[in-house]
Amino acid sequence: MQSKEHWEQVYTTKSENDVSWFQEHAGQSVDLIARTGVSKGASIIDVGGGASTLVDDLLANGYQRVSVLDLSEAALAASRARLGDRASGVSWLAGDITKAELARHAYDVWHDRAVFHFFTTREEREAYVNAVLRAVKPGGHVIVATFAEDGPEKCSGLPVMRYSGDGLHAEFGAPFTLLQQEREEHQTPFGTVQKFIYCLCRKESN
């Protein structure tokens, strides 16, 4: 797994819109969250949300209980600064998701765009899935996006795993029912294209 120092350096030396994964609006993620049918009062966590604009879009759409977790405190600080007064309505969590002590059954929706694919060892992926199993309510929804099979082999200088929709779902296993998979051709700020796969699952058991 990438180190905290790596990501602190990224977010202290680059602006939030000068990284390849920047989105002015996280449209595909917002649409998938809406498709879960959760209420505006549902508890949503954006894992690896850092400086992502998803939190802005969720607040603009009326969601009231949003948490953002990231390894980089500098990334979280960038989001808080961008949101201004609205930041006080968000729960900000700094930590490594494979080690974080999230409350049991705390979340109705778990969202992750471009964190899971950095876990290149079986141990890291199992720790991540165990965190999802603990933190998401039975019947809750899990949205995970990674580079697709024809996506980049590295990101921010680090190796990544690439997945098909079925391959990504298989990492999570039987407790998760795959409801939908979608591809995205993400236009980076540098004029290149990164191909992503999104999976929307429902957690069926504890």
Side-chain angles (χ1 to χ4, degrees), residues 127-144:
Y128 180 103
V129 172
N130 285 336
V132 177
L133 284 167
R134 175 182 173 82
V136 176
K137 298 175 183 177
H141 291 83
V142 179
I143 300 162
V144 176

Side-chain angles (χ1 to χ4, degrees), residues 151-196:
E153 296 179 353
K154 287 188 174 183
C155 182
S156 191
L158 301 173
V160 297
M161 302 288 289
R162 299 182 297 175
Y163 293 96
S164 66
D166 290 341
L168 180 55
H169 174 235
E171 291 287 340
F172 288 78
F176 300 90
T177 298
L178 179 62
L179 302 178
Q180 190 167 347
Q181 52 180 283
E182 291 186 357
R183 286 177 60 89
E184 176 189 47
E185 293 197 356
H186 167 60
Q187 305 286 330
T188 75
F190 319 122
T192 58
V193 174
Q194 294 178 336
K195 296 180 180 180
F196 279 80

